[in-house]
Amino acid sequence: MKSLYEMNPSEILTAKKYSGCVFIPISPCYEWHSFHLPVGTDALISERICELVAEKIGGVYFKALSLGVDAIRSESQLLQWGFKKNAKIFGMNFPEISFFSEYCTKKEMVIIINNRLRAVKETGFKIAFIVNNHGGVGQQQILEKICSKWNSKNFKVEYISTGKFCTINNCSLNIGGHAGLSETHRLMAFRPDLVDIVKLPKNNLKVCKTGILHNKPMIEEQYHPKNVSKTLSANLRENIINNFVTYIQKNYFHQKKAI
């Protein structure tokens, strides 16, 4: 399916008339996700979900806006990950990793998203979903507040976390933070062509050296991203997309003909 960027006005207006839904993925396109995942992992996941759901309901989707806030790591996080407690580390800019991730300020995020929402509202879209995969400090709260301010009777705006519609109960999807086994499964679900496990060390994965977040300085063998399952990832993809589509049909299309 073509993104809104690639559509001509008549195609956009047809989609607006048919479903009135627009999907706006919001996640960083340039953030360290260890050696085995692309730097745009968050954006790729949120964007692909938007594309697949838009295709099923007759909506349109944008390419991801590279917007992500974060914060200075807390003392408890630093000690948990094997750093000195007085280290000054922002987001995923770890000193032992020669990569500087891109983040934005709250003000920048608010301005850019407001511009996007204003444009689609004035075009005549009736429903907008802000879809986010970034877990940086404050990200969800800012996006929820933006959506709340825009949400009205004639223009519905809702914040959606990419994990909202996952109903699969599996520890591999719940344990392991940023770039860990759970997030590796999520990217495998939506962009399997971009997961490259062989780029990781086979053993002794240290948080401070790999940027794979965990509750201990060393990632145990069972939580190594190499344990990613293609079957579980495929099931995850179907689970999230089907549940998202069902949610839209139930909450927004209940007065329209079934799609």
Side-chain angles (χ1 to χ4, degrees), residues 33-217:
H33 276 78
S34 198
F35 301 98
H36 66 302
L37 300 180
V39 297
T41 289
D42 287 340
L44 290 162
I45 293 171
S46 58
E47 185 179 300
R48 184 64 172 149
I49 289 174
C50 288
E51 178 185 1
L52 293 173
V53 176
E55 184 175 30
K56 284 184 176 291
I57 68 164
V60 296
Y61 80 100
F62 283 92
K63 293 290 186 179
L65 286 172
S66 185
L67 298 171
V69 297
D70 218 308
I72 296 290
R73 295 300 184 179
S74 67
E75 181 179 312
S76 61
Q77 288 177 321
L78 294 172
L79 293 175
Q80 177 176 274
W81 297 334
F83 294 107
K84 294 180 179 180
K85 66 178 182 179
N86 60 348
K88 299 295 182 184
I89 300 175
F90 187 95
M92 293 307 302
N93 293 329
F94 287 9
E96 296 187 56
I97 298 171
S98 57
F99 188 93
F100 194 86
S101 298
E102 175 189 73
Y103 298 105
C104 69
T105 66
K106 175 182 176 180
K107 182 178 180 180
E108 290 169 333
M109 177 177 285
V110 171
I111 290 172
I112 293 171
I113 298 177
N114 280 344
N115 285 343
R116 178 60 50 88
L117 289 172
R118 184 177 300 110
V120 296
K121 179 183 179 182
E122 293 301 321
T123 301
F125 284 95
K126 300 299 182 182
I127 307 164
F129 294 98
I130 300 293
V131 180
N132 170 59
N133 191 69
H134 179 59
V137 177
Q139 180 94 349
Q140 178 174 330
Q141 292 78 7
I142 295 170
L143 294 177
E144 286 178 335
K145 189 173 182 179
I146 293 172
C147 291
S148 177
K149 286 186 174 181
W150 277 92
N151 190 44
S152 66
K153 181 179 180 180
N154 296 319
F155 184 51
K156 299 295 184 181
V157 182
E158 184 172 354
Y159 169 78
I160 300 291
S161 166
T162 57
K164 176 182 176 70
F165 298 109
C166 175
T167 57
I168 298 175
N169 185 18
N170 188 300
C171 65
S172 294
L173 300 177
N174 300 317
I175 299 177
H178 181 95
L181 181 57
S182 59
E183 190 160 45
T184 302
H185 271 108
R186 289 199 296 277
L187 189 65
M188 178 72 78
F190 296 104
R191 289 299 306 271
D193 55 309
L194 298 178
V195 177
D196 192 357
I197 297 299
V198 299
K199 291 289 195 300
L200 278 172
K202 294 183 179 180
N203 300 296
N204 298 324
L205 296 183
K206 292 184 177 181
V207 171
C208 62
K209 291 184 178 294
T210 62
I212 299 174
L213 302 188
H214 194 55
N215 59 3
K216 297 177 182 178

Side-chain angles (χ1 to χ4, degrees), residues 1-2 15 18-19 21-25 45-62 127-129 131 160-162 165 190 236-249 252-253 259:
M1 178 181 178
K2 293 189 293 186
Y18 181 72
S19 75
C21 283
V22 59
F23 296 82
I24 306 171
I45 293 171
S46 58
E47 185 179 300
R48 184 64 172 149
I49 289 174
C50 288
E51 178 185 1
L52 293 173
V53 176
E55 184 175 30
K56 284 184 176 291
I57 68 164
V60 296
Y61 80 100
F62 283 92
I127 307 164
F129 294 98
V131 180
I160 300 291
S161 166
T162 57
F165 298 109
F190 296 104
L236 176 64
R237 169 177 164 149
E238 293 304 309
N239 180 254
I240 290 176
I241 299 304
N242 290 339
N243 287 340
F244 197 168
V245 170
T246 298
Y247 176 82
I248 294 172
Q249 291 174 333
Y252 293 97
F253 293 167
I259 292 178

